[in-house]
């Protein structure tokens, strides 16, 4: 069917597109293509004449076309472009349609990967194709050739792209995310690596046609969910779509130069299935490599000072519309985060004081609210261990706050530095409680229980042994003083009768204290109020001035109770 000139062109393209594939496999495929070309010929039925043609496109891609002419002389041309590697071998079969025998072909997983043309105009993509045959023997021969070609084509596609490392893959993407043109739409596309951050790329798509706009995307390849990289087909347009992991809105997006809310997916347009397939292959390869690049780009902190300094320097002043958020973080395990929201009509300042060791490092993640990206810091067990001061006034203790971030890269770096800060602050933490004898710990505790003022209320507190030299039984005295007067509370109990597992923070509004319970909540604590004996109790609370005082009281009490039970 081919002319001598066409054969020469065919041979040239065969050799040209052998790059990055096995020469032997390509040669074997080419031989099968020649057999298929010879097997396909003119077919006549009672009403139509079919004049088919087979063209080699590249690698294992072919174009099957035919002109269908009626007995009245009306002619239409049809064409189908497909990759033999996409054919489901179990669907290749012959069938009879009245006076015509055809070979039916379907694409694996019913994907619309066959590009269709009518009278040289691109129409749409479909999942199936019929090749006309002159008779049943001809149809069987066509089927046999195609069945032999499918595994060869699959091997060719596996070997098509030989990219050995992350940089080669990144260069390939930069060179092969290209313009895509359809009948009434053009997409000028460019993807460039961002040299400032590992894994980060910037994608620009200028759309012209029915509408006109420029879309700019900034994202990190490490944030892409590899399982969502899939073909996107709409009419005659073909592309590749992918989403972020957990559909987090981590893709920074601007339209015609104006910043928009973050998004979680992108479609890159392609001119055909093969461009999309290659793009899919490389993205699938580069995503895990990008994850390694990002991991390797994190700084190695030698101590808590370096990690805390990274949190402080990574906390930025941000502007959203007419509002500016001035944020500062000190570089200390006893953290102080201050955020001031400034607009034309107001200026509000809020401060959170807490200890990094109280932050739950298992749930630190970055997220999006509209156009704001943030990291939410939450305490362990959601205990309200953060002191809050708003516009100079002390607020109730809190359990969380949001640290706002510039973009996903800023959030990623902050997340890493925060987790390291928590880890290193925990390693370096040393309680004020002495680590020596039981007597030394009790002596420390008697000095650590002190007077506490909470607004208009005062708690005068003391703890002492009931009998000097007897380390078992102690007495806790608390005098509560407010504007109405005062009352005295005295509790007597043995250290060994306390439950060390239930000695914990007790926080209510602006008040922080330590709650102490007996074993099995037994009511065995002797209780006096204003000198009079009351009913036995199963718990009491020791007030503290702040979280750190409470923490040390908890540690001291736990140590003393534990050691007392071993005596």
């Amino acid at each position: 069917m081919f002319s001598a000139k066409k054969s020469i062109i065919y041979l040239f393209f065969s050799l040209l597109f052998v790059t990055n594939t096995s020469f032997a496999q390509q040669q074997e495929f080419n031989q099968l293509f020649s057999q298929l070309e010879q097997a396909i010929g003119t077919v006549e039925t009672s009403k139509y004449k079919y004049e088919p043609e087979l063209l080699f496109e590249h690698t294992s891609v072919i174009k099957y076309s035919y002109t269908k002419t009626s007995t009245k002389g009306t002619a239409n041309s049809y064409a189908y472009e497909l990759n033999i590697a996409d054919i489901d071998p179990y669907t290749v079969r012959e069938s009879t349609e009245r006076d015509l025998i055809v070979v039916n072909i379907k694409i694996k997983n019913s994907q619309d990967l066959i590009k269709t043309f009518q009278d040289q105009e691109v129409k749409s993509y479909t999942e199936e194709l019929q090749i006309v045959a002159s008779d049943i023997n001809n149809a069987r021969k066509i089927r046999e050739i195609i069945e032999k070609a499918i595994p060869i084509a699959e091997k060719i596609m596996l070997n098509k792209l030989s990219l050995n490392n992350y940089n080669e893959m990144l260069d390939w993407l930069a060179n092969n995310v290209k313009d895509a043109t359809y009948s009434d739409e053009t997409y000028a596309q460019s993807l460039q690596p961002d040299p400032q951050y590992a894994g980060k790329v910037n994608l620009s798509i200028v759309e012209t046609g029915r509408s006109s706009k420029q879309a700019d995307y900034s994202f990190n390849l490490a944030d892409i969910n590899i399982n969502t990289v899939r073909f996107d087909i709409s009419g005659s347009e073909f592309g590749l779509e992918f989403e972020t992991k957990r559909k987090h809105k981590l893709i920074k997006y601007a339209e015609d130069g104006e910043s928009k809310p973050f998004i979680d997916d992108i479609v890159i347009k392609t001119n055909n299935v093969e461009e999309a397939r290659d793009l899919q292959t490389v993205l699938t390869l580069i995503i895990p490599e990008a994850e390694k690049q990002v991991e390797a780009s994190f700084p190695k902190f030698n101590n808590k000072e370096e990690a805390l300094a990274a949190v402080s320097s990574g906390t930025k002043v941000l502007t959203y519309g007419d509002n500016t958020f001035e944020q500062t973080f000190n570089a200390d395990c006893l953290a102080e985060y201050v955020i001031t929201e400034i607009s034309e009509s107001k200026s509000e300042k809020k401060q959170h004081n807490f200890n990094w060791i109280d932050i739950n490092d298992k749930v630190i993640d970055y997220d999006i609210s509209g156009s704001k990206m943030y990291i939410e810091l939450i305490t362990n067990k959601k205990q309200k261990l953060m002191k809050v001061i708003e516009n100079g006034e002390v607020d109730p203790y809190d359990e969380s706050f949001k640290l706002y971030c510039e973009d996903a890269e800023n959030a990623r770096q902050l997340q890493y530095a925060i987790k390291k800060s928590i880890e290193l602050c925990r390693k370096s933490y040393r309680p004020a409680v002495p680590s020596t004898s039981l007597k030394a710990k009790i002596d420390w505790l008697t000095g650590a229980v002190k007077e506490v003022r909470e607004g208009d209320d005062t708690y005068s507190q003391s703890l002492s042994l009931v009998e000097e030299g007897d380390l078992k039984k102690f007495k806790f005295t608390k005098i509560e003083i407010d504007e109405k007067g005062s009352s005295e509370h005295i509790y007597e109990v043995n250290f060994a009768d306390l439950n060390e597992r239930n000695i914990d923070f007790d926080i209510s509004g602006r008040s922080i204290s330590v709650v102490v319970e007996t074993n099995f909540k037994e009511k065995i604590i002797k209780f006096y109020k204003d000198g009079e004996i009351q009913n036995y109790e199963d718990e009491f609370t020791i007030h503290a001035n702040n979280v750190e005082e409470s923490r040390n009281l908890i540690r001291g009490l736990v140590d003393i109770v534990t050691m007392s039970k071993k005596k």
Side-chain angles (χ1 to χ4, degrees):
M1 185 177 291
F2 281 173
S3 64
K5 184 177 180 180
K6 283 183 178 178
S7 296
I8 293 171
I9 294 172
Y10 160 70
L11 180 60
F12 169 76
F13 278 98
S14 295
L15 295 173
L16 179 64
F17 286 98
V18 170
T19 306
N20 296 327
T21 64
S22 165
F23 181 79
Q25 291 165 356
Q26 188 68 57
Q27 193 173 40
E28 187 176 358
F29 180 85
N30 294 345
Q31 290 171 353
L32 289 169
F33 175 86
S34 296
Q35 294 175 23
L36 188 60
E37 175 207 354
Q38 293 167 12
I40 292 173
T42 301
V43 175
E44 292 192 39
T45 66
S46 60
K47 294 183 179 180
Y48 298 101
K49 180 180 181 181
Y50 297 86
E51 297 175 278
E53 183 178 28
L54 197 65
L55 296 176
F56 176 84
E57 296 293 309
H58 56 80
T59 52
S60 53
V61 179
I62 66 169
K63 189 173 185 178
Y64 168 72
S65 61
Y66 60 85
T67 301
K68 182 179 179 181
T69 307
S70 68
T71 53
K72 296 180 180 179
T74 303
N76 295 103
S77 64
Y78 303 87
Y80 304 85
E81 185 178 281
L82 72 153
N83 193 317
I84 297 296
D86 290 330
I87 298 173
D88 184 343
Y90 300 105
T91 67
V92 184
R93 56 183 178 79
E94 314 89 45
S95 66
T96 303
E97 296 185 0
R98 295 188 178 182
D99 57 352
L100 180 66
I101 290 181
V102 297
V103 177
N104 296 285
I105 292 170
K106 284 193 175 182
I107 298 300
K108 296 170 186 172
N109 302 319
S110 299
Q111 296 182 92
D112 293 333
L113 302 184
I114 302 174
K115 191 175 185 178
T116 67
F117 305 78
Q118 184 173 346
D119 298 326
Q120 287 75 53
E121 181 182 344
V122 178
K123 285 299 180 183
S124 61
Y125 287 82
T126 186
E127 65 180 60
E128 57 186 348
L129 163 66
Q130 290 183 329
I131 297 176
V132 295
S134 57
D135 54 36
I136 187 60
N137 291 327
N138 179 232
R140 288 169 180 160
K141 185 174 183 180
I142 291 171
R143 174 177 55 80
E144 289 170 2
I145 295 170
I146 291 173
E147 287 175 339
K148 289 179 183 178
I150 291 171
I152 306 301
E154 290 173 342
K155 292 176 183 177
I156 289 172
M157 295 311 297
L158 284 174
N159 298 323
K160 181 181 178 183
L161 297 172
S162 179
L163 301 172
N164 299 311
N165 54 56
Y166 172 78
N167 287 330
E168 288 183 8
M169 297 172 196
L170 197 59
D171 289 343
W172 188 95
L173 286 175
N175 293 326
N176 289 275
V177 172
K178 60 182 77 171
D179 297 352
T181 302
Y182 308 102
S183 58
D184 53 0
E185 291 281 353
T186 298
Y187 297 86
Q189 302 178 124
S190 172
L191 183 144
Q192 295 298 324
D194 188 323
Q196 189 175 358
Y197 296 103
K200 186 180 179 183
V201 295
N202 299 308
L203 172 67
S204 175
I205 303 177
V206 180
E207 179 184 349
T208 56
R210 294 188 298 267
S211 60
S212 180
K213 69 176 182 180
Q214 177 170 338
D216 293 298
Y217 307 89
S218 179
F219 63 96
N220 199 302
L221 293 165
D223 290 328
I224 302 305
N225 182 346
I226 196 169
N227 298 314
T228 67
V229 182
R230 56 184 179 268
F231 298 132
D232 179 76
I233 308 164
S234 177
S236 63
E237 296 187 10
F238 208 99
L240 194 73
E241 181 181 18
F242 49 87
E243 299 172 359
T244 55
K245 294 172 181 173
R246 294 174 290 168
K247 287 188 74 67
H248 274 194
K249 297 182 184 296
L250 302 179
I251 301 172
K252 198 170 186 178
Y253 173 55
E255 188 174 309
D256 295 329
E258 182 181 348
S259 294
K260 298 291 185 180
F262 286 79
I263 60 174
D264 57 24
D265 68 336
I266 295 178
V267 175
I268 298 177
K269 296 293 186 179
T270 61
N271 292 292
N272 50 53
V273 177
E274 297 312 304
E275 285 184 8
R277 188 198 313 279
D278 290 347
L279 191 56
Q280 182 186 48
T281 298
V282 178
L283 275 174
T284 302
L285 291 171
I286 201 172
I287 288 170
E289 295 302 316
E291 292 170 351
K292 295 175 186 176
Q293 293 287 321
V294 169
E295 186 70 24
S297 72
F298 290 138
K300 302 296 182 281
F301 299 126
N302 297 307
N303 49 57
K304 68 178 186 297
E305 287 77 18
E306 291 179 0
L308 291 162
V311 175
S312 180
S313 62
T315 301
K316 300 179 180 293
V317 176
L318 302 173
T319 299
Y320 303 102
D322 297 329
N323 292 348
T324 297
F325 292 84
E326 293 182 350
Q327 301 180 114
T328 61
F329 235 128
N330 69 336
D332 197 293
C333 289
L334 294 177
E336 180 181 284
Y337 168 74
V338 180
I339 181 169
T340 306
E341 182 179 356
I342 303 170
S343 65
E344 290 184 0
S345 60
K346 65 179 180 179
S347 176
E348 296 182 348
K349 181 178 179 181
K350 198 168 187 178
Q351 177 177 321
H352 285 77
N353 292 79
F354 61 94
N355 195 320
W356 278 114
I357 69 174
D358 291 323
I359 301 301
N360 187 342
D361 56 334
K362 303 295 190 298
V363 297
I364 294 173
D365 202 356
Y366 38 97
D367 209 341
I368 297 291
S369 176
S371 59
K372 298 184 185 73
M373 180 170 284
Y374 62 88
I375 295 173
E376 186 168 19
L377 299 178
I378 304 172
T379 57
N380 296 315
K381 299 186 289 185
K382 292 191 175 181
Q383 290 182 302
K384 296 182 183 295
L385 299 179
M386 295 179 176
K387 185 175 183 179
V388 182
I389 302 172
E390 188 167 4
N391 296 325
E393 297 291 329
V394 177
D395 278 358
Y397 281 86
D398 206 351
E399 66 194 38
S400 67
F401 69 88
K402 292 176 181 177
L403 170 61
Y404 292 99
C405 309
E406 185 176 30
D407 53 25
E409 301 311 318
N410 179 219
R412 193 191 322 277
Q413 294 290 328
L414 273 172
Q415 180 191 43
Y416 174 78
I418 286 170
K419 287 187 174 184
K420 284 296 180 181
S421 294
I422 295 169
E423 175 189 337
L424 295 169
C425 283
R426 286 175 179 167
K427 284 183 179 179
S428 66
Y429 174 71
R430 298 292 180 270
V433 184
S435 59
T436 51
S437 65
L438 175 60
K439 176 68 164 59
K441 290 179 185 290
I442 292 173
D443 288 344
W444 173 87
L445 181 62
T446 59
V449 174
K450 60 184 69 171
E451 182 175 284
V452 173
R453 291 185 178 181
E454 296 175 357
D456 297 329
D457 298 338
T458 300
Y459 300 92
S460 179
Q461 304 176 123
S462 65
L463 186 145
S464 61
L465 294 171
V466 173
E467 295 181 12
E468 191 67 31
D470 183 352
L471 304 182
K472 297 179 180 178
K473 191 175 183 180
F474 71 94
K475 177 176 68 174
F476 170 62
T477 302
K478 176 167 60 175
I479 301 174
E480 299 181 5
I481 306 169
D482 59 24
E483 57 186 11
K484 295 179 181 180
S486 66
S487 62
E488 181 188 59
H489 299 73
I490 298 175
Y491 304 85
E492 291 182 5
V493 68
N494 294 326
F495 283 117
D497 287 325
L498 300 179
N499 185 345
E500 68 276 18
R501 294 183 179 85
N502 284 351
I503 300 172
D504 204 352
F505 295 103
D506 184 33
I507 304 157
S508 176
R510 299 171 181 83
S511 173
I512 185 164
S513 55
V514 176
V515 63
V516 182
E517 296 179 359
T518 59
N519 295 319
F520 311 109
K521 294 282 286 181
E522 284 187 293
K523 292 185 180 295
I524 58 174
I525 301 174
K526 199 166 191 177
F527 175 42
Y528 300 84
K529 183 176 181 181
D530 294 330
E532 295 186 6
I533 296 177
Q534 306 292 315
N535 292 337
Y536 279 88
E537 296 284 345
D538 58 15
E539 68 175 30
F540 63 88
T541 58
I542 304 174
H543 288 262
N545 289 294
N546 52 55
V547 172
E548 296 313 304
E549 275 190 16
S550 298
R551 191 192 315 282
N552 284 312
L553 286 172
I554 292 168
R555 179 60 180 267
L557 282 163
V558 169
D559 285 358
I560 292 168
V561 171
T562 303
M563 293 177 73
S564 296
K565 290 181 176 180
K566 294 178 180 178
K567 289 289 185 180

